[in-house]
Amino acid sequence: MGGPGDPPTGTPEGGPVGGEDEYRSVVFDESFVRAARLQESSARERMTDHAPAVRRRPPLRRGLTRQALILVVLILVAFGTAIYMGVRHPYGTDEAQQPVEPLRMTVIPLSPQGTVPGAADAETLFAHSPAAQYEVGAEGIPLPAARSTAHFSDSQVVTALTTAKDYLVRSSLYPEVLDSSEVRPTRALLDPGQLDQFDQSVDHPTADGRHALTGWLVRFDPTRAELADPKIRVQGNLTAAETDPATLEVTADHTFVYALRPTGAPAGAQVSLFTVRRELTFRFDRDDLRLHQTQLVVSYVQAGPLSCAEDAADHLHPLLAGQTAKAGGPAGTDPFATDSATALCGTLAAAAEPKV
C-alpha cells in the first residue's frame, strides 16, 4: 500500500520517489523576488493596449551598511592620525627645541722661555716630564660613574659622556686628524646646526674667536712636524650635569702630550714634546643623544711650545727640539673688539718641559 499522501494506484511511473516535488528545493523568498530585475505586469496592466507582458524594474538603491560606514570612518581616523604623527617630530618632547649656539673659542699659544729641549727617543722625554704618569691614548679619558638627573636617565647621561669622549678621541688622537689630512671624523659628531660654522673654519680659518680650526681639533703643520711616537699621553676628566629640563652639559678638561720630530726626519733625529690643554664644554638635547652627536659650545685651548708671532688658526706650528720662539707676537689687541680672544699669548713654564 502507498503512504497516506500517495495516489491510490501508487506512485506514477517515472515520478519522484516518495511523492517529493522535484522543485521543492527551489525557494523564491521575498528578498529574491524583490531583487528580480524583470516584473510581470498585472492583469489590469496587460489589458491596456500595447502594454508589455513584463517590465524592467529600476535598480534598487543600496546605501552603505552600518558596518561599511564604521570601517570607512576608522580608515579616515587612522589616516589622519598617521599624517599628524608624521608632521610632528617622532621623538619630540614637550620642551621647545633650543637654537644651536655657535662655538666660542680661545686658542692661546704658549711661548718657550728658551730653547726647546729634545732627546733621541720619546720614552726618555716622557719619563722626565710631568706626563710620566699619564695614560696612553683613550685610556686617559675615563668615563665617570653616571647618575640620572631630574629629567635624564642613567643611559642618557652615559650617552652624553661617551659622545664627548668620542669627540675628544677623534679630534685629539686620530693620526689622520693630527697630520691635517682629514677633518671628517670630528665633523661627523657635530650637531647639524654647527656644521656651517665648522666648514667655514675649515675653508677660511680666522683668529676671530669663532672660526679657528684649532679650536675644533688638534692638528699640526704637516710641513713642519709629525708624530715621533703614536703613544700620545693623556690625562683629564669629564663631568656631566643637567642645565635645564631639555639639556645635558658635559665639561671636559684634558691635557694631551705629543712626541714630535721634524717632518721627514731620519731615524735618530731629535724628538721634542708638545702639550695641548683643551677645556671643552659640550651640550646635548634629546635629538643629540638619540643621534650620537653633540654641540661644542666652548673651547679654551692652550698649546706649546709655539711662537706667538705665528698664526695658529689653521694649524699649530710647533717649535721643535733646539728651536726658540721668534720675536714678536700679536699685532695688538683691540679692547673694543669682543671677538679678538685669540690675540693672546702665554709663556710656557719651565716646569712644563722635560728635564733632560
Side-chain angles (χ1 to χ4, degrees), residues 47-332:
M47 293 174 61
T48 304
D49 293 341
H50 308 295
V54 295
R55 64 175 181 273
R56 183 176 296 273
R57 299 178 64 185
L60 293 175
R61 292 186 178 180
R62 294 183 178 273
L64 289 174
T65 65
R66 178 176 298 178
Q67 293 84 349
L69 183 60
I70 292 174
L71 179 60
V72 170
V73 171
L74 290 176
I75 292 173
L76 291 175
V77 170
F79 185 68
T81 302
I83 293 177
Y84 175 72
M85 294 302 293
V87 171
R88 291 189 63 201
H89 196 291
Y91 296 91
T93 63
D94 294 334
E95 301 93 353
Q97 293 295 322
Q98 299 295 324
V100 177
E101 182 179 331
L103 170 62
R104 294 174 286 113
M105 62 183 70
T106 303
V107 180
I108 301 179
L110 300 178
S111 179
Q113 300 180 43
T115 301
V116 176
D121 63 276
E123 291 296 334
T124 299
L125 286 174
F126 282 127
H128 292 84
S129 78
Q133 303 303 317
Y134 284 14
E135 298 289 345
V136 174
E139 295 298 320
I141 314 175
L143 295 180
R147 292 185 176 89
S148 62
T149 66
H151 299 91
F152 293 89
S153 66
D154 290 349
S155 63
Q156 288 175 314
V157 174
V158 169
T159 297
L161 290 167
T162 302
T163 304
K165 176 176 179 175
D166 288 347
Y167 187 94
L168 286 166
V169 170
R170 294 188 186 194
S171 63
S172 310
L173 300 177
Y174 272 26
E176 63 269 32
V177 172
L178 297 175
D179 67 14
S180 301
S181 60
E182 280 287 358
V183 297
R184 287 180 295 180
T186 303
R187 187 183 189 275
L189 288 177
L190 290 173
D191 184 288
Q194 289 191 314
L195 294 182
D196 285 345
Q197 184 186 6
F198 181 86
D199 292 340
Q200 290 175 30
S201 302
V202 174
D203 298 334
H204 306 288
T206 307
D208 61 356
R210 289 288 188 271
H211 300 97
L213 186 53
T214 48
W216 297 94
L217 47 82
V218 177
R219 71 175 191 166
F220 302 114
D221 180 353
T223 67
R224 179 174 297 188
E226 63 183 16
L227 285 177
D229 186 346
K231 298 177 182 178
I232 301 164
R233 301 322 199 256
V234 186
Q235 179 170 284
N237 58 78
L238 293 166
T239 57
E242 178 181 317
T243 58
D244 60 59
T247 310
L248 271 177
E249 197 166 88
V250 174
T251 302
D253 185 355
H254 292 80
T255 300
F256 301 84
V257 184
Y258 306 85
L260 302 178
R261 64 187 173 198
T263 300
Q270 286 281 296
V271 177
S272 60
L273 298 186
F274 189 87
T275 303
V276 179
R277 181 174 180 179
R278 306 183 75 195
E279 298 175 61
L280 307 179
T281 300
F282 301 93
R283 190 167 293 165
F284 301 84
D285 58 28
R286 285 181 168 77
D287 281 346
D288 293 326
L289 295 173
R290 178 174 58 85
L291 297 173
H292 191 65
Q293 62 191 21
T294 186
Q295 304 168 39
L296 180 60
V297 294
V298 178
S299 174
Y300 182 82
V301 179
Q302 301 174 66
L306 289 172
S307 175
C308 294
E310 295 191 85
D311 182 9
D314 188 15
H315 297 88
L316 300 175
H317 308 278
L319 294 173
L320 303 174
Q323 296 180 336
T324 57
K326 296 179 181 179

